[in-house]
Amino acid sequence: MKHEGGASFPDQRSHPLLDQNSETPLDLLHLEDNDIDATIFKGAAAQCRRNLEVRRVESLAEFKEALAARSPDLICADHLLPDGSAAEALSLRDKLSPQSPFIVITGAGEEEVAVDYMRNGASDYLSKRRLDQFPLALDNVLDAYRNRALRHIAEQETERLNGELLALIRHVEGERDEEKRSLSRDIHDQLGQE
């Protein structure tokens, strides 16, 4: 399933991103090169309502390998990395794991940077100084993702049902036309015999 930005949704409604009551931990890929920031993030992640299985990578190269090995449910990435930026990670996400919501976490805290990330497909942007807000940000991202996915599912179902209805209408019209032709032949034959 596709969503804004060309990304796709998981097909099953029981997927942990779509089922808010799921006990299955969300697989969170965390791109962070600083050990202290990674530890603080893990503490913030432990405060979330949802269980998170945090896998950490420290560079874009490791990030790319991790995405290729297993598509995560969610991605959190530091803005500045030793070998690039979260913008490059976002681009890799678009290619390798487009269904994964992407949250940028940075110490920079510049509004223009946040706006650029959001325009390019990030789900949210959070300052490292405000990591206590991560549980709320995660809930908001998951709610928005779920709403878009369920709306998309409903649109697909409506499209499918409309297609079936159109096919049924065509079938009924075809049967009715055949019935008219048959009746016309019968009347013609009967008149011819008389």
Side-chain angles (χ1 to χ4, degrees):
M1 286 183 254
K2 295 283 185 186
H3 74 75
E4 54 197 55
S8 60
F9 293 111
D11 287 329
Q12 61 278 23
R13 293 178 195 197
S14 62
H15 188 279
L17 280 176
L18 300 181
D19 180 2
Q20 57 191 353
N21 299 317
S22 176
E23 295 296 320
T24 305
L26 292 177
D27 177 27
L28 188 151
L29 183 57
H30 185 213
L31 175 55
E32 173 59 69
D33 63 314
N34 184 296
D35 292 336
I36 295 170
D37 289 340
T39 302
I40 294 169
F41 177 81
K42 257 195 157 173
Q47 301 302 312
C48 294
R49 287 186 305 127
R50 291 293 303 269
N51 280 336
L52 300 174
E53 179 184 304
V54 179
R55 290 185 290 142
R56 178 181 168 212
V57 292
E58 298 181 30
S59 67
L60 280 173
E62 288 178 15
F63 180 74
K64 186 174 183 178
E65 286 176 23
L67 282 181
R70 183 172 85 215
S71 188
D73 295 321
L74 179 69
I75 298 168
C76 292
D78 187 12
H79 168 55
L80 296 175
L81 303 159
D83 59 345
S85 71
E88 293 166 275
L90 187 57
S91 179
L92 285 170
R93 184 281 314 248
D94 291 344
K95 292 175 189 161
L96 301 173
S97 186
Q99 79 285 354
S100 302
F102 192 101
I103 299 173
V104 179
I105 299 176
T106 182
E110 299 173 12
E111 286 183 23
E112 307 87 48
V113 174
V115 170
D116 285 344
Y117 277 114
M118 300 297 277
R119 276 192 197 132
N120 290 321
S123 302
D124 206 348
Y125 182 92
L126 193 62
S127 167
K128 288 182 180 181
R129 293 184 300 264
R130 310 254 325 156
L131 276 179
D132 59 320
Q133 298 294 314
F134 178 69
L136 178 62
L138 178 63
D139 286 345
N140 291 337
V141 165
L142 294 178
D143 286 345
Y145 182 90
R146 189 171 25 263
N147 290 338
R148 284 191 313 270
L150 295 176
R151 183 175 51 246
H152 184 77
I153 290 168
E155 288 169 358
Q156 277 190 323
E157 185 65 9
T158 300
E159 198 173 301
R160 184 188 69 77
L161 290 173
N162 284 340
E164 286 180 11
L165 181 59
L166 189 58
L168 180 61
I169 289 169
R170 287 182 182 141
H171 177 73
V172 168
E173 285 176 351
E175 282 185 351
R176 191 173 27 196
D177 289 346
E178 180 55 38
E179 209 174 283
K180 286 178 184 177
R181 281 191 292 274
S182 177
L183 184 58
S184 177
R185 278 192 304 266
D186 289 348
I187 290 172
H188 180 268
D189 291 348
Q190 188 175 9
L191 288 174
Q193 288 175 357
E194 289 177 7

